[in-house]
Amino acid sequence: MQIMFNGKFKPSILRLERSLFGLALVRLAVVAVHFLVTRTFWLWGRIRFGALVPNRGAACVCHWNADLKYPENIHLGDNVVIGTNVSLGAHSPIHLGDRVRLSRDVMLETAGLDFDGRKAPYAHTSKPIEIGDDVWIGSRALVLGGVRIGAHAIVAAGSIVTKDVPAYAVVAGVPARVVKMQSTASDETPHEPS
């Protein structure tokens, strides 16, 4: 069946699709349905987030498909944005400061396994995560338990953060390491001429 679809019927289906979506009324109907579906999920996400995460500041936004494990242990400052497919595993507390941005597919995981030489099954261990104000964590980054990320730091996409990150640092890699220090507000103030 797959071979027949790909070989014999595919050109006919593609012509039909092109003709069908060439009609303005069909395109308008698809766009309208898309709008209604996405708005419905957006509204559901707001309701779900409000019910599950009581410890949050003002104007926080969380994508409807974010995975919130132990949401009672998640503490958010003001204006936090949690993107698409983010996973917050808060077995121990997770604290996000004001204006933190978590890009798509970011994982914050406080729990892990204790590999101290004993045989499986291994016991779980858990340590909190603390993220300062104005931190931006790039897509598909992973932050593990016990990590503190200082204010204004940037975690590059795809990084795995296993150790503390100083304020204003840019970290990247596996494991993440400091690749650059941003200038602080005091570094940017103009000096008076002498």
Side-chain angles (χ1 to χ4, degrees), residues 57-110:
C60 293
V61 177
C62 180
H63 194 273
W64 65 267
N65 72 351
D67 183 19
L68 307 173
K69 297 180 260 181
Y70 305 99
E72 65 278 5
N73 290 335
I74 299 171
H75 305 270
L76 308 176
D78 295 335
N79 299 299
V80 173
V81 176
I82 300 170
T84 307
N85 295 324
V86 168
S87 179
L88 301 179
H91 188 268
S92 286
I94 293 177
H95 291 271
L96 304 181
D98 295 339
R99 297 169 303 281
V100 170
R101 300 292 186 259
L102 304 179
S103 299
R104 77 177 302 125
D105 299 317
V106 165
M107 290 182 68
L108 305 182
E109 188 57 62
T110 62

Side-chain angles (χ1 to χ4, degrees), residues 41-57 59-64 66 68 71-72 74 76 82:
F41 279 118
W42 175 84
L43 180 59
W44 168 246
R46 297 290 303 166
I47 293 167
R48 175 180 166 259
F49 181 62
L52 292 178
V53 184
N55 304 312
R56 68 184 185 291
C60 293
V61 177
C62 180
H63 194 273
W64 65 267
L68 307 173
E72 65 278 5
I74 299 171
L76 308 176
I82 300 170

